[in-house]
Structure formats: structure tokens, C-alpha cells
Amino acid sequence: MLSKEKQIKRVVIKIGSSSLTSMHGEISRRKLEKFAEQIVELKDAGYETAVVSSGAVAAGYRKLGCLDRPSSLPEKQAAASIGQGLLMESYSELFLSHGYVASQILITRSDFSDEKRYGNMHNTMNVLLERGIIPIINENDTVTVDRLRFGDNDTLAAKVAGLIDADLLIILSDIDGLYDSNPNDNPGASLLERVHSITPEIEAAAGGSGSAVGTGGMKSKIQAVKIAMAAGIDSFLGKAGTEHILMEAVEGRAKGTYFNPEPDAFNLDNQKQWIAFHSGPEGKVTISSHGIEAIVDHQENLYCSDIQEVKGRFKDGAVVRILDEEGKEIGLGRINYSNEQLGNKLGNHTAGEELEPAIAQETFVCSRDFKLPALV
């Protein structure tokens, strides 16, 4: 089920490689047609849909001359450059046959970490969705290096859902949903139909990748769901091959697992989402117990008088890690001073004289509230 009284209008759909390709690793026209027809069904019903689609490497490696999925980065990137075009051509043809236009958006992690590009993506996708276009989104595998990868399209889909303020994230793969234990090892494992929070027990039940074609297992899907839940977005995990799975998912009656944030949970606005998930902290500041009490417990601004140590080089406006006196991270925040300015202020300030906070409450994200792996 979806959150009570929640109106679903904008949906992000993530489809995995194994759900789009044949047993030989090439695009399955039959699978792609069935998937496209379901998206058209959503569009006809008035839903705005964005699709995060895997499959570029799987679709292209055969035509590159590889018998098996390549393992080296250059071959993967070359295969993606072939497969992405094939994948997009198929999507465009199928949607045009139903009167809808598809657009292609290729993203790297650095597109999210750069705040201006992040804003440009937000604006572009809003225009596309509002005008009835279907964005087809994938990681730009052709140019992305390992250290700048999302890791899998589950994470990318969750970040896209937050970027465009989606109402529902649907993750489809070859998995029925989240079980209380690995169903491959335990025939008596039970499907969890509804989850309100990701507990350590749930994380422990998440296994590895279930397919040789795909790259994301249950663990990556749980991490993606965490990101969506922090933004107040419902998520659904189900099996791609199920008939009418998309329409049933948005109507709250599909077989699978629904992840619903608690109604009173903290939700991150768009600015805090960028700080928490995309910014890439540039330095560290250690603050006093009084500062922690102010910014965490009383939700007040943090002033220079509570900063005890500064590490790293950064300019004013950068995002930094905020640590307690024992070195434990308590959150991330946008700092209003450079490291040099802060260094000059340490020991030379009076709390009562401070006008501009070092970190304002509206640009602070507390990791103790969200406990998210993305706060790294």
C-alpha cells in the first residue's frame, strides 16, 4: 500500500538489465515492448513518468565482438557507447508508435555534485515531464570512471526521484520484493509487504546480486530506498515480469514490497537533499558540545564561537562535515566562511558579536536523524 491519502502524479521507474535483455545478453524486443506498453498505460492515465533504464552494456557488448559481458572498464565503456544508442532507438520507436516522445538523459555522479548542474537537471526534467515527454535516464557509462560512478542504477533512480520531487519510486528487477531472509536459501522466507523504516535486521536480510547481467542486488535497492524515504518518497520493489506491475504499483495493489516513510518522519527539502546525497564535503569542522546542543537539539544556527578545529581547504559556501569533540560525524552543513576565515576567527571572537552564523539551520543535515549511508 501507499501512504494514506497520498496522491500519485509523478513516478520514477527503474528497470534492471536482466529485465530487458535476452538470455544471451542482448536487448529482448519482446520484454522491451511489454515494458513500454505498461509505461504508455501510465501515461494514458495521466501519470508523469521518468524511466531509469539499465541495459546499455548488456545490449552492446555482443556487437563489440565480446562473447561474454566485458570486465575491463574500457570494454564496458565501448559496449555502452554501442548499446545506449540501440536502447534509446528502441524506446523512441515504441513510444512514438503510441504518440509519446522519449528523451535521453545521460548522467554522471559529478552532475549531481555540482550544484549548478544539479539545478539545471532539475529544471530540464521538470520541463520534459510537464510537457508529457518520457525521459529515459542512464548513467553515462561511456565516460564515467569508477570513482565517479553511482555504483548501480538503483542509487541513480533514488537520486532522480528526489531531484524531481517524485511521488513514487518503482524499482523493478528479477526479484519479487524484500523477504525476511534469502528465499534462495530459505524456502520458508516471507515476503515483507510493507516497510516503514530500514532496520539493521532488514539490512542483514539484503543479499548480493541475483543476476549475472545486472550489477545491483538487494543491498543496493535498500540503500536506494533509504535515500527516497529521507525525501519523503514512497517506494515499491517488485518483479518486472509480473503482468500490469506498473499500474498496480501506483494503485497500491501490486505484489511486492512497499516502503512508506512514517508520516511524522523528517523529510529533506531539495536543498538538504543536495547537501546530504550529492555535495561531496570539502572539509571538516569540530564543534563544541554547546554547538551540538544548539544545532541538533534546539535546531538553531551554529556560530563560529562553537567551532574548535578546522581541517581541509574550502571556500565560503562549501559543504563540510561537522564532527563532535571525539571525531564522530554529526552531520553536514554549508559553511559561510572559508577555512582561512575560520582559522583567523578561532580564539578571536565573542559569541555575542557574531551576526552571520557559520552554518545556518536550513543548510544543516543531521546524520543522527537520518542514519544514511549517503552521508559520506
Side-chain angles (χ1 to χ4, degrees):
M1 295 179 63
L2 300 172
S3 298
K4 288 184 179 181
E5 300 180 358
K6 182 165 186 177
Q7 296 297 314
I8 303 298
K9 177 185 178 183
R10 183 169 288 187
V11 183
V12 173
I13 305 161
K14 184 267 177 177
I15 182 76
S17 299
S18 61
S19 304
L20 291 177
T21 52
S22 70
M23 61 182 296
H24 302 295
E26 298 176 308
I27 291 177
S28 168
R29 185 74 178 188
R30 178 182 60 82
K31 288 183 178 180
L32 201 61
E33 285 176 353
K34 292 184 69 175
F35 181 53
E37 286 171 0
Q38 291 195 61
I39 295 173
V40 167
E41 185 180 11
L42 289 182
K43 292 293 295 177
D44 287 346
Y47 294 100
E48 296 177 349
T49 59
V51 180
V52 176
S53 176
S54 302
V57 176
Y61 76 82
R62 290 272 181 170
K63 290 177 172 56
L64 185 63
C66 300
L67 296 178
D68 299 306
R69 186 182 176 92
S71 57
S72 72
L73 180 60
E75 285 185 322
K76 285 181 181 179
Q77 292 177 323
S81 72
I82 298 171
Q84 189 62 47
L86 296 172
L87 196 62
M88 195 63 212
E89 180 181 17
S90 298
Y91 274 124
S92 293
E93 290 178 356
L94 290 169
F95 288 133
L96 279 173
S97 68
H98 292 278
Y100 292 106
V101 175
S103 70
Q104 181 181 49
I105 300 178
L106 298 177
I107 299 175
T108 64
R109 188 174 173 182
S110 59
D111 292 323
F112 277 90
S113 62
D114 183 289
E115 192 170 13
K116 185 174 182 179
R117 283 149 68 184
Y118 179 81
N120 288 340
M121 286 193 298
H122 173 81
N123 296 336
T124 298
M125 289 193 199
N126 273 337
V127 170
L128 292 170
L129 291 167
E130 289 167 0
R131 299 194 181 186
I133 311 300
I134 305 172
I136 308 297
I137 304 154
N138 197 0
E139 184 165 10
N140 194 351
D141 294 311
T142 302
V143 300
T144 305
V145 297
D146 282 341
R147 65 184 177 85
L148 293 179
R149 287 182 57 80
F150 291 100
D152 56 78
N153 272 353
D154 297 319
T155 300
L156 173 59
K159 293 192 174 190
V160 167
L163 173 71
I164 64 173
D165 301 315
D167 302 301
L168 177 65
L169 168 64
I170 300 175
I171 299 177
L172 299 181
S173 67
D174 50 6
I175 302 171
D176 279 326
L178 177 66
Y179 286 79
D180 58 2
S181 61
N182 191 335
N184 294 323
D185 300 329
N186 179 16
S190 299
L191 178 68
L192 302 177
E193 296 182 355
R194 187 163 182 160
V195 174
H196 291 295
S197 62
I198 306 301
T199 64
E201 291 77 17
I202 286 177
E203 290 189 290
S209 178
S211 169
V213 177
T215 58
M218 183 59 70
K219 185 176 181 180
S220 73
K221 292 170 177 53
I222 295 303
Q223 303 308 317
V225 166
K226 277 188 172 185
I227 295 172
M229 292 179 79
I233 299 171
D234 285 344
S235 301
F236 172 79
L237 173 60
K239 195 168 187 177
T242 306
E243 292 290 330
H244 306 293
I245 186 71
L246 293 182
M247 184 59 74
E248 291 182 358
V250 298
E251 293 178 347
R253 56 188 179 87
K255 177 184 178 182
T257 303
Y258 285 92
F259 299 87
N260 312 120
E262 294 287 0
D264 58 349
F266 292 100
N267 293 331
L268 299 177
D269 60 25
N270 205 257
Q271 179 178 217
K272 289 192 175 184
Q273 285 181 48
W274 181 80
I275 291 172
F277 307 133
H278 317 303
S279 60
E282 297 180 33
K284 301 177 182 179
V285 296
T286 299
I287 66 174
S288 66
S289 57
H290 178 269
I292 294 174
E293 183 179 343
I295 198 166
V296 175
D297 300 330
H298 299 311
Q299 297 184 6
E300 297 173 349
N301 297 332
L302 178 74
Y303 288 91
C304 293
S305 54
D306 285 310
I307 294 179
Q308 298 181 330
E309 186 179 12
V310 179
K311 291 184 178 180
R313 298 176 61 85
F314 49 84
K315 297 179 180 180
D316 59 293
V319 173
V320 297
R321 298 179 189 272
I322 305 167
L323 312 178
D324 64 16
E325 294 171 336
E326 297 178 352
K328 181 180 178 182
E329 181 179 306
I330 65 167
L332 303 176
R334 189 191 297 276
I335 197 83
N336 290 322
Y337 299 94
S338 69
N339 65 293
E340 292 181 350
Q341 290 172 319
L342 286 176
N344 292 332
K345 285 178 177 291
L346 294 183
N348 294 312
H349 50 69
T350 302
E353 296 177 352
E354 297 183 64
L355 297 177
E356 184 178 22
I359 297 175
Q361 179 61 221
E362 58 266 25
T363 62
F364 168 70
V365 179
C366 180
S367 35
R368 291 203 304 212
D369 283 339
F370 297 99
K371 301 181 178 66
L372 291 172
L375 292 182
V376 297

